[in-house]
Each structure stands twice: as C-alpha cells, then as structure tokens.
Amino acid sequence: MHLLSVSSEPHDSRRMFCRALNLLLIAQALAYRQDAFIGYSEKHSDKIVLHSLDGEIPISLLDAVAPKTCELVSELAQTGCTTCRFYRNELPPEAGYGPPYGLLQGTLEGLRDTPPREDTVVAKKGHVCMIPGTKEFFIAANDHDEWGSAHTVWGMVQNMTTVTSLLRRPFHTVTHPTYGTVMRMMNTDVSFAISGLRPGSHDQ
C-alpha cells in the first residue's frame, strides 16, 4: 500500500478561514503555556501538542530515534504553522491490511526543510511518522508491520482520544491515478496549530 503525499487543498475562502483559526489557536496555546518556554532556546522540546477544534493531540518526540526530524518539528512549534492540517482519515481495517488503512494523515507544510530519512523503526499504533521525501506525516491508528521500516518514526501520541474522533469524521474516497490506491479523504480539512514544551516543563 502506497502512502501518498496527496493533500486535499482547501478553496481560497476555506484556506483564509484555516489560517485565521490557526493564528487564534497558536496565540491561545502559546499564552496558555507561556511559562514553559522560559529558556526554551537552550534545547528543543521533548513534547509537542497539536491544537484543533476537535481537541488536542499530545506527542512525545522520539529524539533518540529521529533527532533531525524532531529538531525541525520542535522548531516549527516555536514559530507556528498557519497551513498545517489533517486531510485523510482511515479507520483501522477489520481484517488484513485494508482498506481502510488505519492512519490519520496531514501536512506540516511550515517545516523549514523536508526531513531526512532516519532510523529503521517499524510503525506501531500511536507512532507519528513522516512520509519520506515530503513534509506529509501520519499517525498510525494500528500497528503497521506490513510497511516495515519505510517511514521515519519521530513521535508517540500520548492520548489517542482526539485522533479517534478525527478518524470518524465524514470522508469521500479518491483513487490515485498511478497506484490505484483507494484513499479516504476528509470532506473538510481539519486545521491545527502546534506548540511545544521544553525539557523539564510540565503541562498546565
């Protein structure tokens, strides 16, 4: 099964709304965690939080596994992202490898650089992974031994409640013209903001 960097681009009006929403979420998130950023520049975050209207997704960064990717993601948590969003939601398959394929996919368009390929960890439920050669990522909704070590694993979701909610949002199917993969794309992209906590800080 091919994990493809195909995103559902919102229309101009929707994009403007998503950007405005992200700016508001970023301001709220950073104000909420203001004390956590004291001395932040000394070392990057060991945890980030994705903030959406559906709820928060707390993620522990796996710096020992993918240090370069974690550094880029942590930097994005400092600067903020106005184009980050989820656009694909696939519930875990009832049997076999799918479809559906058991993932929540999105984009970290605001990353300074495209993350390099790092380490060889097999994606398990809750892992956050980059699609090689892109700024697209996914959260594994179940174990993916069938994909081997094809993706850079850089995070672990600490609470899957919001992920589960997003996986159940309305979708439509799209067939990739080259690979023939049938993908579930969200009817409406879900925009999110991103913030981080420095090592030793505690969530408020």
Side-chain angles (χ1 to χ4, degrees), residues 193-204:
I194 178 171
S195 66
L197 295 174
R198 66 179 175 82
S201 296
H202 298 283
D203 223 343
Q204 301 291 321

Side-chain angles (χ1 to χ4, degrees), residues 33 47-51 56-59 193-197 203:
R33 290 169 170 80
K47 173 183 174 182
I48 63 167
V49 182
L50 307 184
H51 308 266
E56 296 185 344
I57 302 175
I59 299 171
I194 178 171
S195 66
L197 295 174
D203 223 343

Side-chain angles (χ1 to χ4, degrees), residues 57 86-90 102-106 137-141 162-164 166-167 186:
I57 302 175
F86 292 112
Y87 55 81
R88 181 181 177 189
N89 56 342
E90 307 254 1
L103 61 93
L104 177 64
Q105 187 171 327
F137 76 105
F138 68 90
I139 297 172
T162 299
V163 173
T164 301
L166 291 169
L167 287 172
M186 290 179 165

Side-chain angles (χ1 to χ4, degrees), residues 37-150:
F37 284 90
I38 298 175
Y40 181 86
S41 60
E42 296 175 4
K43 187 176 181 180
H44 68 68
S45 304
D46 58 0
K47 173 183 174 182
I48 63 167
V49 182
L50 307 184
H51 308 266
S52 77
L53 291 182
D54 287 60
E56 296 185 344
I57 302 175
I59 299 171
S60 293
L61 299 182
L62 304 180
D63 191 69
V65 178
K68 295 179 181 178
T69 302
C70 288
E71 182 177 359
L72 287 169
V73 172
S74 184
E75 179 183 292
L76 184 61
Q78 279 189 287
T79 59
C81 182
T82 60
T83 57
C84 292
R85 62 191 182 277
F86 292 112
Y87 55 81
R88 181 181 177 189
N89 56 342
E90 307 254 1
L91 286 165
E94 294 183 2
Y97 298 140
Y101 295 108
L103 61 93
L104 177 64
Q105 187 171 327
T107 181
L108 296 173
E109 282 185 351
L111 289 172
R112 172 172 50 84
D113 293 314
T114 299
R117 180 75 175 87
E118 295 186 270
D119 215 311
T120 55
V121 175
V122 175
K124 300 293 185 179
K125 181 178 179 179
H127 272 154
V128 190
C129 314
M130 295 304 302
I131 299 175
T134 77
K135 296 182 180 181
E136 314 301 296
F137 76 105
F138 68 90
I139 297 172
N142 55 270
D143 292 349
H144 286 293
D145 295 338
E146 73 277 15
W147 296 341
S149 57

